[in-house]
Amino acid sequence: MAEVVRMPKMSDTMTEGVIAKWHKKVGDKVNSGDLVAEVETDKATMDFESFQEGTILYIGAEEGQAVPVDSVIAVLGEEGEDYKSVLNGAETPSAEKKEDTSGNEAKSEKPQAAAEDKPAASSVTPESLGATVIRMPLLSDTMTEGVIAEWHKKVGDKVKSDDTLADVETDKATMEVTAYAEGTLLYIGVEKGQAAKVNDIIAIVGKEGTDVSALLNAPSADSNKTEGKASDETSAAPQTAQKTDATPGDEQKEKAQSDSDSRVKASPLAKKIAKDKGINLSDVQGSAEGGRIVKKDVEGFTPSTKQVAEAAPKAAQPSAASQSVTIPQYIGEEKYTEKPVTQMRKTIAKRLSDSLFTAPHFYVTMSIDMDNAITARSKMNEFAPVKISFNDMVLKAVAVALKQHPNVNSSWLNDKIRYNEHVNIGVAVAVDEGLLVPVVRFADGKSLSHISAEVKDFAQRAKTKKLQPSDWEGSTFTISNLGMFGVDEFTAIINPPDSCILAVGGIQQVPVVKNGAVVPGNIMKVTLSCDHRTVDGATGAAFLQTLKALLEEPVRLLV
């Protein structure tokens, strides 16, 4: 049976697309996944792949022609099949929609027709088709959406229950999604590099040849409402901002150019590029059908000498009084690069914003004499199986101090405070995409060598994206160390649900007073960020006193 192919919505702001190039013509065979056309949107020129199979019976838009989203651009079916009834049926809903305002009689008929169709659509379930719907899984406690990093299967491939379907980039790591069904991969709903919310359909597996379009053509009304509302709000915001920033003179100029551009036939992307470059579309010659201006016309446009001269500001001409002063002219170009926000960066932004604007932070800073710690570390590394760092010593000292100050080792739970009797210390590790905080569990009972080996393993696995959710969950206190970057001191944002985070600076050689004499010293500054809902100033200061005593006499860490 013939099926219509519609213009897809390829971005959240797309309202129409221009067929930049057809890769298939009427009569050509099309397989699922074949590149059918290139579509120029308001943001980029993108490949349009078919998820249907058959022969192209009809092409409804020529190259260079603009087509509204959801309009019919082609019909696929069996060779020689009559497609006109399908084509007319696809166009009928829009006509009925226009006639809907003619009277009460038409209004009453339409709900009845919808009511009759609704049970048929709702009766189709994956079980009735013998298919299994694969949804975006919840791979961590903070995950709200995932990005498909790589597909290991394509439509038409055979799938076993233990096969890896795809790699999914979450807010913390890249993890595998395993198929829990056997059959043929019938549908892929999210392309590589695109994001899908948790529980969204990403694939369908079933018997070869099964038509799953009925499962896909049933979006909920709530989701449509939400998308529409979000789209309206998104588009309204930039317009408001532009109105506020523009001066009356600028508004008149922009309005004149906008009116001129609106009368010119041009693609959405061509209009956007022209606006960014300040090009008047009336001066550009279109190369597409009917003189329509497309992307390549704007990018290849070179203004004439007359246009450049007219655009030069009159104020640049020196007055008679200032002709003796020559100011060199420098012409620069404003540039920037925009990249999509990664899942990790989204989570960092959300969690730390929630922490800073919800938890009342206060900060306590203390200087620690590290002379004895330097000597002790050198001696310990002569016998230790792994090299012990100053960060390892700070972590061990924090673990011991937390056992003596349980109020610091706590969590705010709105109507109660949890005092943790175990000590799990999160260690902030910088990676290319942002920050991960693997947890050293029961750190108070581990030796310095054990802590050192565990932290090094965490750092290595974090950089290669091999950490699992169990590695970064369950911290009761966090340490962030920037000393290796030459930072003297800094303040850190609390990592919820912890009550405190310790910011560790570098060891600085400075003059200090000992026994009434000024001598060289090695000083390290640490700053404790505290949640004032659970920790008071005196409590935070007492904790730092204990930490200072432990690091200034490291032998106490061994007993």
Side-chain angles (χ1 to χ4, degrees):
M1 181 180 176
E3 295 180 87
V4 296
V5 179
R6 299 181 183 273
M7 173 62 73
K9 185 170 184 177
M10 294 177 164
S11 76
D12 54 347
T13 57
M14 176 179 172
T15 57
E16 65 176 9
V18 175
I19 302 294
K21 183 177 181 180
W22 280 105
H23 290 273
K24 300 287 184 181
K25 61 182 183 296
V26 173
D28 285 355
K29 297 285 186 182
V30 176
N31 294 318
S32 181
D34 282 357
L35 177 61
V36 175
E38 293 178 19
V39 177
E40 185 180 333
T41 72
D42 58 336
K43 295 186 176 176
T45 300
M46 305 174 72
D47 293 340
F48 175 47
E49 297 179 358
S50 174
F51 59 87
Q52 300 153 313
E53 295 186 356
T55 301
I56 293 188
L57 305 175
Y58 165 80
I59 287 180
E62 299 300 323
E63 291 185 0
Q65 182 179 345
V67 183
V69 169
D70 210 33
S71 294
V72 177
I73 59 173
V75 178
L76 291 178
E78 296 180 3
E79 191 171 357
E81 183 180 355
D82 181 15
Y83 63 85
K84 292 183 179 179
S85 59
V86 176
L87 185 62
N88 294 334
E91 294 172 350
T92 303
S94 59
E96 287 180 355
K97 195 171 182 181
K98 289 181 181 177
E99 294 171 4
D100 188 44
T101 58
S102 61
N104 295 331
E105 186 176 331
K107 288 183 181 178
S108 62
E109 287 176 4
K110 194 170 181 182
Q112 289 176 4
E116 289 172 2
D117 293 338
K118 194 170 182 181
S122 62
S123 64
V124 178
T125 63
E127 292 77 12
S128 66
L129 296 176
T132 301
V133 174
I134 310 294
R135 298 182 181 273
M136 177 62 72
L138 182 67
L139 298 173
S140 77
D141 56 342
T142 58
M143 176 180 172
T144 57
E145 64 180 12
V147 173
I148 301 295
E150 188 70 47
W151 279 105
H152 296 288
K153 300 286 184 182
K154 61 181 184 295
V155 172
D157 285 357
K158 297 293 182 183
V159 177
K160 295 181 180 179
S161 59
D162 57 348
D163 285 351
T164 299
L165 273 184
D167 293 338
V168 174
E169 180 190 341
T170 71
D171 54 338
K172 301 285 179 69
T174 300
M175 306 176 73
E176 294 179 348
V177 173
T178 304
Y180 47 84
E182 295 192 359
T184 302
L185 186 57
L186 303 173
Y187 168 78
I188 287 179
V190 184
E191 296 300 323
K192 176 182 175 181
Q194 291 184 347
K197 294 189 179 300
V198 170
N199 214 35
D200 278 0
I201 297 175
I202 60 173
I204 297 178
V205 175
K207 295 178 183 178
E208 189 172 0
T210 303
D211 181 9
V212 296
S213 57
L215 293 175
L216 303 173
N217 296 334
S220 65
D222 291 343
S223 64
N224 290 339
K225 275 186 183 177
T226 307
E227 287 176 9
K229 187 176 179 183
S231 177
D232 292 343
E233 290 175 358
T234 306
S235 60
Q239 292 171 4
T240 306
Q242 289 171 7
K243 271 192 175 180
T244 306
D245 295 342
T247 63
D250 291 339
E251 285 180 5
Q252 292 175 1
K253 289 178 184 176
E254 287 178 8
K255 185 177 180 182
Q257 185 169 345
S258 175
D259 291 344
S260 174
D261 289 351
S262 65
R263 292 191 294 270
V264 177
K265 292 168 65 177
S267 71
L269 183 58
K271 289 180 181 178
K272 184 176 185 296
I273 295 173
K275 183 178 179 182
D276 292 342
K277 292 188 174 183
I279 297 174
N280 190 336
L281 287 175
S282 303
D283 301 327
V284 182
Q285 183 68 35
S287 61
E289 181 186 10
R292 186 179 182 85
I293 299 170
V294 293
K295 174 185 175 184
K296 65 179 182 179
D297 300 326
V298 180
E299 290 183 336
F301 174 72
T302 304
S304 64
T305 308
K306 182 180 177 183
Q307 291 168 340
V308 174
E310 289 175 354
K314 294 181 180 179
Q317 299 177 1
S319 63
S322 60
Q323 283 181 355
S324 59
V325 180
T326 302
I327 301 175
Q329 185 179 11
Y330 178 79
I331 300 175
E333 183 180 1
E334 293 184 358
K335 290 184 176 180
Y336 59 86
T337 302
E338 292 183 350
K339 296 181 179 180
V341 180
T342 63
Q343 301 304 108
M344 183 182 295
R345 181 55 57 189
K346 286 179 184 178
T347 300
I348 291 171
K350 182 179 185 305
R351 285 174 59 81
L352 295 189
S353 295
D354 290 345
S355 172
L356 186 61
F357 300 131
T358 303
H361 285 51
F362 75 89
Y363 311 96
V364 184
T365 301
M366 189 168 285
S367 298
I368 301 175
D369 185 349
M370 295 294 286
D371 283 347
N372 291 337
I374 293 172
T375 304
R377 174 176 173 266
S378 298
K379 195 67 177 174
M380 283 188 287
N381 279 335
E382 294 178 7
F383 304 98
V386 292
K387 186 177 180 181
I388 297 169
S389 68
F390 290 111
N391 193 63
D392 300 330
M393 297 179 72
V394 171
L395 196 153
K396 177 65 176 178
V398 165
V400 174
L402 285 174
K403 295 298 286 185
Q404 299 180 35
H405 300 273
N407 287 352
V408 177
N409 196 36
S410 61
S411 301
W412 175 261
L413 301 179
N414 292 323
D415 57 342
K416 53 182 175 276
I417 298 175
R418 174 178 294 168
Y419 295 97
N420 299 294
E421 298 178 11
H422 57 284
V423 177
N424 290 349
I425 298 181
V427 182
V429 177
V431 294
D432 292 339
E433 295 82 1
L435 191 70
L436 288 173
V437 187
V439 179
V440 178
R441 301 180 187 282
F442 312 113
D444 56 312
K446 294 179 178 178
S447 66
L448 282 166
S449 297
H450 191 155
I451 290 172
S452 178
E454 196 168 333
V455 170
K456 286 180 174 62
D457 177 61
F458 279 144
Q460 183 63 32
R461 287 198 287 144
K463 286 180 169 59
T464 56
K465 294 186 176 181
K466 298 297 183 183
L467 288 177
Q468 297 300 309
S470 58
D471 295 326
W472 61 67
E473 295 170 350
S475 68
T476 62
F477 187 95
T478 305
I479 296 175
S480 180
N481 191 341
L482 294 180
M484 66 286 292
F485 297 105
V487 175
D488 293 341
E489 61 178 308
F490 67 103
T491 58
I493 300 174
I494 296 168
N495 180 34
D498 302 349
S499 286
C500 297
I501 184 171
L502 185 72
V504 182
I507 299 174
Q508 306 295 325
Q509 288 190 324
V510 295
V512 296
V513 178
K514 290 186 178 180
N515 300 322
V518 178
V519 295
N522 294 282
I523 301 298
M524 179 179 75
K525 289 185 178 180
V526 295
T527 300
L528 185 68
S529 303
C530 304
D531 183 347
H532 218 324
R533 296 174 299 182
T534 54
V535 179
D536 294 325
T539 306
F543 170 80
L544 285 186
Q545 281 184 327
T546 302
L547 179 66
K548 175 183 173 76
L550 290 168
L551 288 173
E552 290 184 347
E553 296 182 62
V555 69
R556 296 173 59 180
L557 298 175
L558 307 176
V559 295

